[in-house]
Amino acid sequence: MGAKINCSICGKPVDSDMENCPHCGSPVKVGRPIVPVTPSPPLVASGAQCPSCGAAVQDGDIVCVRCGVNLLTGQQVVKKDAAASGPAVRSNTPMLLLGLAAAVLLVVGGVALFMFLRDPVNEARTMARSGDLLGATGLLQKHTASFPDDAQAFALLGRLQLQTQQYPDAASSFDTASSLRPSDKELGYLAVLAAGRIPGETGMQRQIAALQRLVEHHPDDQRALRMLALAQGATGAEEASGRTLEQLSSAGGDPGEVATYRGVTSALRGDFASAHGALDGAPPDSADAQLARGYLAGLEGETMKAAARLDAVVSAGGPVDSEARTRLGLLQMAQGNFDQALPLLRPVDAGRPSDGARFFYGLCLQTAGLEDEALQEYERLVSGESRYAEDAAIQMAIIYLKRDQVDRAAESTRQGRKFGSSARLFTVEGQVAARQGDESAAQDLFRKALQADPDYPAAHLESGLTYIRRGVLSEGVRSLRRYLELVEGGVPGGRINEVDLLVKQLEQAASPGGARS
């Protein structure tokens, strides 16, 4: 290290071995002896500004940290770029690092705070209102995977899945929500509703499980007890149904009502003798029992007796008048008595514009050949997103196919897809595709129908006919044979005889020597 000397420009002490003064940047060795000198006063006073760039000058500054001008001589002793990036940055590096660290902490902390304060349920609800149902569903699925105790999230997820026809998933979501919040009856009934949309035995068993959980937490809920008893009776669980009816009686159920439900559950499983025995124990003036007797007579094929009993309930009025009118109207419609059926099913005349009444009224109009009037009723159901909307959309498609308005039929099935995915809807959709000339799409839709309900006769029929049109005769015959098995014992004539004859002709043609006969 060299001797300490004073810089000849700024007068500050420097090492004689250095090339440039670290304070002002001027050369230390200029080819002549450097002698100590006393520093000259600065060109600018403390607190003033640089005469070159206007930057603030601090007490003792010799070189402007922004532009590199020597404040003593006014000469540019450091390049501007170097001055801007060199001394200023070096002198502020510790503060910059601290600032950067603070900024990182703020960002990370802000993200954590945002995640903590974020409300995925409200966010999903907003997304759903804007039409992004799948996005809202996905958000809630991720949220519930991380927070499996959020009953509100599961409840909203179930509603979205129900709206998008994801019925098994909806039932599971409502099951979880009602388990987390057993005091909420609505969640329990939503679980029952979603399970009821699942076809086949699986749906019935899930309904029973949901009702059992509902009754477990609400043992005095007579509505749930009635539904459970009927479901158990319909599946042949006679003892379980009997125990549920005993619980209904203990919960304050009317004795006549309990006897009536015993009769109905027996009728549902085909035990008509037990049904009559149970109904005989009901009060003779019980409207519920009279309605059940009419229902039982209809199941036994005693149409006149059923009509008389139902008419008596309608004439008496009362709380079951609506159901009695609907059943009597359907009975009259089945007999072809449209003039008598229409007033019974018409919602306005009945004073109860329920969705069920409107749908059956439309069905009656359609069967009577009043298709335009029927379409008006169906449109109301579809636009109102009724629980009968899918059925109404299917009936609309059938009318349009009959009129050879295939595009409108296709639009009706698309509307129906918003509300359900039943075997019947897939089958009608397949018929539309076949009429549009797309046999491959039609076959795929019939396959989906059979996946939804393997024993749906119409799907087997349409699938078989499509196979035959496409030249796949063995599969076609197999499907048509299955159709005939499923409708065995039905009313002869119509397509049953026609299909049976077609199958025999195809089998004969496929047999050895069949083509020569």
Side-chain angles (χ1 to χ4, degrees):
M1 180 179 295
K4 291 292 183 180
I5 61 175
N6 288 339
C7 173
S8 60
I9 301 299
C10 68
K12 290 190 176 182
V14 297
D15 196 315
S16 61
D17 291 339
M18 299 182 69
E19 295 289 337
N20 295 91
C21 174
H23 307 291
C24 68
S26 61
V28 173
K29 295 180 180 180
V30 293
R32 58 181 176 83
I34 299 177
V35 295
V37 297
T38 302
S40 303
L43 294 179
V44 293
S46 175
Q49 294 180 333
C50 172
S52 177
C53 69
V57 176
Q58 302 298 323
D59 187 20
D61 284 350
I62 304 299
V63 178
C64 176
V65 295
R66 175 180 293 180
C67 66
V69 167
N70 191 310
L71 300 175
L72 297 176
T73 65
Q75 296 176 339
Q76 186 77 42
V77 294
V78 180
K79 292 183 179 180
K80 290 186 179 181
D81 291 342
S85 62
V89 172
R90 284 197 299 272
S91 62
N92 290 327
T93 296
M95 291 302 296
L96 287 175
L97 290 176
L98 287 174
L100 180 60
V104 170
L105 288 174
L106 284 173
V107 171
V108 174
V111 171
L113 183 62
F114 172 74
M115 293 300 294
F116 179 77
L117 295 178
R118 182 186 182 192
D119 186 350
V121 177
N122 279 336
E123 187 175 344
R125 189 176 289 111
T126 301
M127 294 172 68
R129 286 171 180 166
S130 66
D132 187 5
L133 299 182
L134 295 180
T137 301
L139 174 61
L140 288 172
Q141 286 172 331
K142 291 180 181 178
H143 174 69
T144 52
S146 301
F147 298 90
D149 296 332
D150 192 339
Q152 185 183 14
F154 277 108
L156 180 58
L157 177 59
R159 292 177 188 275
L160 294 176
Q161 290 167 331
L162 192 63
Q163 191 171 352
T164 53
Q165 295 90 50
Q166 302 176 62
Y167 300 127
D169 292 335
S172 297
S173 295
F174 286 131
D175 283 341
T176 303
S178 60
S179 297
L180 291 169
R181 196 181 292 170
S183 61
D184 191 333
K185 285 187 183 181
E186 182 184 4
L187 293 177
Y189 279 112
L190 284 171
V192 175
L193 173 64
R197 300 290 180 88
I198 302 173
E201 184 68 19
T202 301
M204 178 62 76
Q205 292 302 326
R206 293 191 68 169
Q207 269 191 307
I208 291 175
L211 285 167
Q212 286 174 330
R213 184 174 55 252
L214 192 59
V215 167
E216 178 185 353
H217 294 287
H218 303 278
D220 295 331
D221 188 336
Q222 296 186 24
R223 176 189 176 195
L225 288 167
R226 293 189 201 101
M227 293 174 67
L228 178 57
L230 288 174
Q232 291 168 329
T235 56
E238 184 176 356
E239 292 185 5
S241 179
R243 289 193 298 271
T244 302
L245 289 171
E246 290 176 3
Q247 187 176 348
L248 174 61
S249 179
S250 300
D254 181 84
E257 179 188 48
V258 174
T260 299
Y261 274 89
R262 287 188 190 279
V264 172
T265 54
S266 296
L268 285 172
R269 62 175 180 268
D271 187 354
F272 298 144
S274 296
H276 280 292
L279 291 172
D280 287 343
D285 58 346
S286 168
D288 283 309
Q290 191 75 343
L291 176 62
R293 292 187 185 99
Y295 173 66
L296 177 59
L299 290 176
E300 292 176 311
E302 299 184 26
T303 305
M304 298 300 293
K305 184 184 290 186
R309 288 175 173 172
L310 292 171
D311 187 61
V313 177
V314 171
S315 300
V320 296
D321 168 69
S322 174
E323 185 174 353
R325 291 178 69 91
T326 300
R327 290 193 176 278
L328 181 57
L330 292 174
L331 190 62
Q332 297 287 6
M333 186 173 71
Q335 299 299 311
N337 301 324
F338 300 115
D339 290 343
Q340 298 179 50
L342 285 171
L344 290 165
L345 295 172
R346 184 180 294 119
V348 176
D349 287 358
R352 40 151 186 69
S354 68
D355 291 343
R358 191 176 296 282
F359 174 73
F360 290 124
Y361 180 56
L363 194 62
C364 188
L365 290 168
Q366 181 180 353
T367 309
L370 303 173
E371 294 177 345
D372 288 333
E373 292 84 347
L375 286 171
Q376 292 178 5
E377 298 299 325
Y378 296 146
E379 284 282 5
R380 290 190 181 98
L381 293 168
V382 172
S383 61
E385 300 188 357
S386 151
R387 62 185 294 260
Y388 285 89
E390 180 188 358
D391 295 312
I394 292 171
Q395 294 305 128
M396 290 171 64
I398 290 172
I399 292 175
Y400 288 130
L401 280 177
K402 179 183 175 183
R403 295 179 173 185
D404 202 27
Q405 295 175 289
V406 182
D407 290 342
R408 299 196 71 174
E411 176 59 28
S412 295
T413 57
R414 281 194 291 272
Q415 287 181 300
R417 276 290 191 96
K418 296 189 300 182
F419 307 104
S421 54
S422 66
R424 188 164 182 249
L425 176 59
F426 280 126
T427 301
V428 174
E429 215 173 353
Q431 292 174 314
V432 172
R435 291 280 288 275
Q436 291 174 326
D438 194 342
E439 297 281 9
S440 177
Q443 195 77 73
D444 184 60
L445 287 162
F446 297 140
R447 190 179 300 112
K448 289 181 179 179
L450 292 173
Q451 288 173 349
D453 183 357
D455 294 329
Y456 185 55
H460 284 285
L461 172 62
E462 296 296 337
S463 180
L465 294 175
T466 303
Y467 273 127
I468 291 170
R469 287 195 298 269
R470 301 178 71 191
V472 189
L473 300 185
S474 59
E475 289 294 332
V477 169
R478 184 180 294 110
S479 295
L480 294 180
R481 274 291 177 201
R482 180 58 180 154
Y483 163 73
L484 293 172
E485 291 172 2
L486 291 169
V487 298
E488 185 179 4
V491 180
R495 303 209 78 176
I496 297 177
N497 291 343
E498 178 187 339
V499 171
D500 185 55
L501 178 60
L502 175 61
V503 169
K504 289 177 180 177
Q505 290 175 340
L506 290 172
E507 289 178 335
Q508 181 181 5
S511 65
R516 296 191 299 271
S517 60

